[in-house]
Amino acid sequence: SHVLTQPPSVSEAPGETARVTCGGNNIGTESVHWYQKKPGQAPVLVIYYDSDRPSGISDRFSGSKSGNTATLTISRVEAGDEADYYCQVWDSSSDQGVFGGGTKLTVL
Amino acid sequence: EVQLLESGGGLVQPGGSLRLSCVVSGFTFRTNAMGWVRQAPGKGLEWVSFISGSGAATYYADSVKGRFTSTRDNPKNTLYLQMNSLRVEDTALYYCAKTKIPGSGAGGAFDMWGQGTLVTVSS
């Protein structure tokens, strides 16, 4: 089945730009969604269909895709952005959803 | 206000069964596909299943295929996950989630989630 590869961790100082990557063989042909997950809370959708942002999500969050890699970019990082971030796609070859392993964002 | 409330979790022995429920409100349930996602203790999110708005189409992760069944009762605004032949590795917090765009297929994003119900499989 499809595998999505994320770095285990990313660290940035407040005010800097954090980038979380998600690699997969077929990402170029699939829609990528991104979720923020904080301990004890339900996941929150922050980017859908590669680069669309739900209402209520800060415009500091953006998504992009190039080749086999999707990227979640968080500009002007704040302490409140500290969380685990997951990418997700639909694998049409196996008819299953797939999440990446998650990336822990630490705000220094 | 959109709300999703899961229930039915608990402690069960390996090989046992549980049925999870997810009661929703605040949106037109029958028009939205739904899904189940789980998170084992200390682990990441794992996609479990998807069911279309009518219930006619269902998909499952390989890890649960043949053991779990997702159904829905649209007049009751309720989603179900029947879990049979439970294994220790099924221990997790189970979330139900709605797709963002009515009528979207299995590739749609989950925009609203419940708070989860804990399933513990242990002897």
Side-chain angles (χ1 to χ4, degrees):
Chain A
S1 62
H2 202 51
V3 174
L4 298 178
T5 302
Q6 297 184 235
S9 62
V10 168
S11 300
E12 287 297 342
E16 298 299 314
T17 297
R19 294 178 177 85
V20 180
T21 58
C22 174
N25 287 339
N26 298 323
I27 274 195
T29 60
E30 299 164 341
S31 293
V32 181
H33 314 305
W34 290 94
Y35 302 88
Q36 177 191 70
K37 177 71 170 67
K38 295 181 178 180
Q41 298 183 20
V44 173
L45 178 67
V46 295
I47 293 291
Y48 65 105
Y49 291 134
D50 300 341
S51 58
D52 289 342
R53 191 171 52 248
S55 60
I57 298 299
S58 169
D59 61 3
R60 298 184 299 104
F61 288 82
S62 62
S64 62
K65 206 164 62 174
S66 177
N68 290 332
T69 301
T71 302
L72 173 69
T73 301
I74 308 170
S75 304
R76 305 182 301 282
V77 165
E78 303 173 354
D81 298 331
E82 199 163 88
D84 294 326
Y85 291 86
Y86 294 88
C87 58
Q88 184 239 322
V89 303
W90 176 257
D91 179 12
S92 55
S93 66
S94 64
D95 279 342
Q96 296 179 59
V98 181
F99 281 97
T103 298
K104 181 176 181 59
L105 172 63
T106 299
V107 181
L108 301 170
Chain B
E1 180 189 6
V2 173
Q3 291 189 332
L4 296 86
L5 182 63
E6 303 96 336
S7 63
L11 175 63
V12 62
Q13 292 187 339
S17 298
L18 276 178
R19 188 177 81 156
L20 307 184
S21 299
C22 173
V23 178
V24 311
S25 60
F27 66 100
T28 307
F29 182 57
R30 68 180 184 277
T31 65
N32 281 84
M34 301 287 294
W36 289 95
V37 175
R38 68 186 181 184
Q39 185 172 33
K43 302 295 185 181
L45 299 178
E46 181 184 9
W47 182 91
V48 173
S49 72
F50 166 94
I51 184 168
S52 63
S54 67
T58 54
Y59 302 99
Y60 301 94
D62 285 342
S63 58
V64 307
K65 200 171 294 182
R67 302 186 298 122
F68 289 13
T69 302
S70 181
T71 58
R72 59 194 296 160
D73 186 333
N74 285 344
K76 292 185 177 180
N77 281 4
T78 304
L79 173 71
Y80 302 101
L81 185 68
Q82 177 67 43
M83 305 187 297
N84 298 331
S85 302
L86 282 162
R87 304 168 180 169
V88 170
E89 54 265 35
D90 294 319
T91 294
L93 186 62
Y94 284 72
Y95 296 99
C96 66
K98 68 172 278 290
T99 52
K100 177 173 174 53
I101 299 173
S104 63
F110 295 127
D111 70 328
M112 297 296 295
W113 300 60
Q115 287 302 309
T117 186
L118 182 62
V119 172
T120 303
V121 185
S122 175
S123 55

